[in-house]
Amino acid sequence: PSETVRVGVIGCGGRARFIQEGSDVKGFHVVAACDCMRARAEAFARDLSNGAAWGVYDDFRQMIDREQLDGVMVETTTHARAWIAIIAMQAGLDAYIEKPMSLTISEGRAIVRAARKYARVTQVGTQQRSMPIFRQAIEIVHSGRLGQIISAGAWIGVNGFSEGETPTAVPDGVDWD
C-alpha cells in the first residue's frame, strides 16, 4: 500500500550478505537483522545499514513483534526455513525464502498452504534457474545438438564447514531457541 517495503533479514550469514550487498532496489529497505548468533546480526547491521538504525535481534519472533515489517528474507539454514517462513506469514508478512525453501517436500507443501491461507507474496531464491547461461544450456540439451543424453552429473557447492563427531556446549552468544 505504500512506496516503501520494510524488510527484516532472518539469518545473517554469507548468503544473506551476498544478497544484501548486491541489493539496490527502489523502495526496498532492510530495517532489521536477526540471527541466533547476535554478534553476527550486529555485524551484518553495522556493515550493511549505511549508518541507519536497524533493529538487531537474536530471536526472529521478537523482531516480527517489534518492527513494523512488510516482509522478511529467510536466509537461515535449510532446516529452519519452513517454520520461520510460516510464522512470518501468520503474522501477515510476505517472505523471500532462500533456496532450497525447505528440507522436505511436506515442509514445502506446508509453506505453500500457508502462503495461500494468509494471502502472502512468497518467493524462493532461484536466481540461477533464470540466468541466461543456464537457459542457454537447457536450450542446447533440448535441441538435440548433444545427441541422446543418457547420464548427467551435477556439482554441488558446499560451504566448507564440517560437522564434528563430539557434541560441544552451545557457544556464548548463540541462542538456539
Side-chain angles (χ1 to χ4, degrees):
S2 71
E3 296 296 318
T4 301
V5 178
R6 294 173 47 86
V7 177
V9 175
I10 304 170
C12 300
R15 181 70 181 152
R17 278 183 175 271
F18 177 76
I19 289 173
Q20 292 308 308
E21 287 173 353
S23 176
D24 187 20
V25 178
K26 182 181 178 187
F28 174 89
H29 299 286
V30 174
V31 297
C34 177
D35 198 288
C36 64
M37 298 173 73
R38 187 176 183 90
R40 185 161 49 186
E42 290 169 348
F44 185 88
R46 180 189 64 242
D47 296 346
L48 299 174
S49 69
N50 292 321
W54 285 3
V56 175
Y57 300 87
D58 55 14
D59 186 327
F60 74 95
R61 294 162 291 199
Q62 291 175 355
M63 182 182 75
I64 289 172
D65 288 344
R66 295 177 186 167
E67 300 287 335
Q68 295 178 334
L69 300 173
D70 299 301
V72 292
M73 297 182 72
V74 184
E75 305 285 335
T76 64
T77 57
T78 305
H79 69 271
R81 290 185 192 137
W83 71 278
I84 290 173
I86 291 169
I87 289 170
M89 287 184 244
Q90 288 172 335
L93 304 178
D94 297 327
Y96 168 85
I97 308 164
E98 190 53 58
K99 63 187 165 301
M101 77 176 196
S102 64
L103 190 60
T104 66
I105 293 171
S106 62
E107 286 178 349
R109 298 281 187 232
I111 292 171
V112 171
R113 283 192 304 275
R116 289 177 178 158
K117 179 178 181 177
Y118 300 108
R120 302 319 318 156
V121 175
T122 307
Q123 178 182 350
V124 178
T126 57
Q127 296 87 345
Q128 287 184 328
R129 281 45 166 202
S130 60
M131 292 171 61
I133 193 167
F134 289 95
R135 288 196 319 262
Q136 183 181 16
I138 291 167
E139 289 170 9
I140 290 170
V141 169
H142 287 175
S143 74
R145 289 175 28 200
L146 300 177
Q148 181 182 5
I149 307 295
I150 58 171
S151 178
W155 174 82
I156 299 175
V158 294
N159 62 15
F161 295 110
S162 63
E163 296 179 26
E165 294 180 21
T166 305
T168 60
V170 177
D172 288 339
V174 176
D175 181 2
W176 291 128
D177 291 332

